Amino acid sequence: MKYIVVLADGMAGEPLKELGGKTTMEAARKPYMDSMAGVSELGMAYMVPKGMSPGSDTANLSVLGYDPKVYYSGRSPLEALSIGVPMKSTDVSFRCNLVTVSEEQKEYQEKVIIDHSSDEISTEDAKILLEDLKKGLKGEGYHFYAGTSYRHLLIWENGQLVELTPPHDILGKTIGGYLPKDEVLLEMMEKSYAILSQHPINKTRKANGLNPANSAWFWGAGTRPALDSFEEKTGLKGAMISAVDLLKGIAVGAGLTNILVPGANGGLDTNYEGKADAAVKALLRENYDFVYVHIEAPDEMGHQGSIQKKIKAIENIDGQIIGRIRERLDKSAEEYRMLVLPDHPTPIARRTHTMDPVPYLLFDSKKAVEGQSAYQENTANKTGTVWEDGYRLMEHLLSR
Ligand SMILES: [Zn+2]
């Protein structure tokens, strides 16, 4: 038996006026998911425990079978694992986003946050900016590390777990009320604007119609994580296929192999087919029992508030990931179970994550059950199956 999780980040949503009351899942043409729905188990699962914030960190730990209440120690430490940054038990790590803030206002506090991802800045451009931040913000006990695209890392030695605001939660708002209370962190953010706003890379970006990466934004404080090995827990050899450092870090922590796919970039134009092919190869030729294929695109499009792009992301996942994996596995002699789900909803109108349960679809290649006409929020909800502790869904996938 082989097991596949197709994790469509942020795919679930809410009914939209612009779509005549449909959600983006309902509006997307997704023949593979919908035909599987007819013979699969559908239901809802709460991936984020009450009292925790609905991030891709807590939610993906849950999907992978780790109770976030037990295993979660912050988001950025998981990303630190993925980029190979060794953390001491006394270190506190922070996500350092490269963001876009408005330029008109003179005072930093009065600026408005426009884009949490600086138009998904390229890793090459971001590395250069981060080098200059390192030089300009040099301080005893603070260390910057370059990650991917707009996602980078700050380690504070003997630091404090300060509460900070995720930038994607306050898009369009004045930043003054959301800045760190800690003076050093605040000063570094203010200074980052002085360093970055005049940077040649940002001048070029603006000339090309792209949002400048003109400020650092710290959030997601955490301490060194300790996850149990997935293989020891389940007896299965597993792999992770994701473009996102957070997921790669969870994989490192859980002892899953990270399979890197060229052209996988976390964006709408990611290499979907390459990810599908890598999953099939891992399962059929490389002896893996379990593959977790994570696609960031629907979440990013939800944050951008783009209905058409989110629909496109869902359609791409349907045809180029799910359809492609199924076609190849069906030709092989392998039996398999496939779990399709988002980690959390990212409704277009809210442009951020919600605590709501997610719809899931569990397909078994050898065991058809009575299903639903389609895989989407309302059909999954209608079944009445609800997992209050979403992290138990993994046991359910792996049991027969
Ligand atoms: Zn998100």
Side-chain angles (χ1 to χ4, degrees), residues 109-214:
Q109 320 255 345
E110 287 164 13
K111 294 182 179 300
V112 171
I113 182 156
I114 294 169
D115 184 351
H116 68 291
S117 72
S118 302
D119 267 330
E120 298 181 28
I121 185 170
S122 73
T123 301
E124 299 78 63
D125 279 2
K127 274 201 169 122
I128 297 169
L129 296 179
L130 214 76
E131 276 311 310
D132 286 15
L133 276 188
K134 269 188 208 172
K135 282 181 216 141
L137 301 180
K138 196 164 54 188
E140 196 70 27
Y142 295 87
H143 308 280
F144 286 89
Y145 296 90
T148 306
S149 181
Y150 61 90
R151 311 173 188 98
H152 308 280
L153 187 76
L154 169 67
I155 299 276
W156 178 11
E157 288 179 35
N158 299 307
Q160 285 167 21
L161 276 171
V162 290
E163 191 83 33
L164 299 168
T165 307
H168 50 259
D169 281 358
I170 51 164
L171 295 174
K173 294 189 179 163
T174 302
I175 62 179
Y178 303 100
L179 294 171
K181 307 253 180 323
D182 179 87
E183 272 175 34
V184 178
L185 294 176
L186 175 60
E187 202 190 302
M188 284 202 284
M189 278 174 63
E190 285 175 346
K191 215 167 160 195
S192 77
Y193 181 80
I195 296 168
L196 296 176
S197 59
Q198 296 308 317
H199 200 285
I201 283 192
N202 278 328
K203 288 187 175 153
T204 310
R205 292 182 66 76
K206 284 205 281 185
N208 292 333
L210 294 168
N211 283 335
N214 58 14

Side-chain angles (χ1 to χ4, degrees), residues 48 65 104 165 196 273 333 355 393:
V48 182
E104 307 86 82
T165 307
L196 296 176
E273 294 187 343
M355 291 291 288
L393 190 57

Side-chain angles (χ1 to χ4, degrees), residues 319-350:
Q320 297 173 43
I321 302 249
I322 294 173
R324 201 170 168 95
I325 291 176
R326 283 210 54 202
E327 217 166 81
R328 316 236 153 147
L329 288 183
D330 286 344
K331 274 191 212 142
S332 78
E334 286 292 346
E335 296 182 12
Y336 63 94
R337 303 186 97 196
M338 183 188 281
L339 177 66
V340 183
L341 77 174
D343 47 353
H344 52 68
T346 309
I348 290 280
R350 299 175 191 266

Side-chain angles (χ1 to χ4, degrees), residues 9-10 56 168 296 299-300 303 344 346 353:
D9 203 303
S56 287
H168 50 259
E296 177 79 350
D299 179 59
E300 282 295 335
H303 288 299
H344 52 68
T346 309
H353 311 165

Side-chain angles (χ1 to χ4, degrees), residues 53-66:
S53 79
S56 287
D57 43 15
T58 47
N60 277 284
L61 279 175
S62 261
V63 176
L64 203 51
Y66 295 88

Side-chain angles (χ1 to χ4, degrees), residues 276-296:
D277 293 351
V280 171
K281 187 171 165 220
L283 293 170
L284 297 184
R285 302 227 300 269
E286 289 165 353
N287 256 325
Y288 286 93
D289 312 297
F290 172 89
V291 176
Y292 196 100
V293 186
H294 169 264
I295 308 100
E296 177 79 350

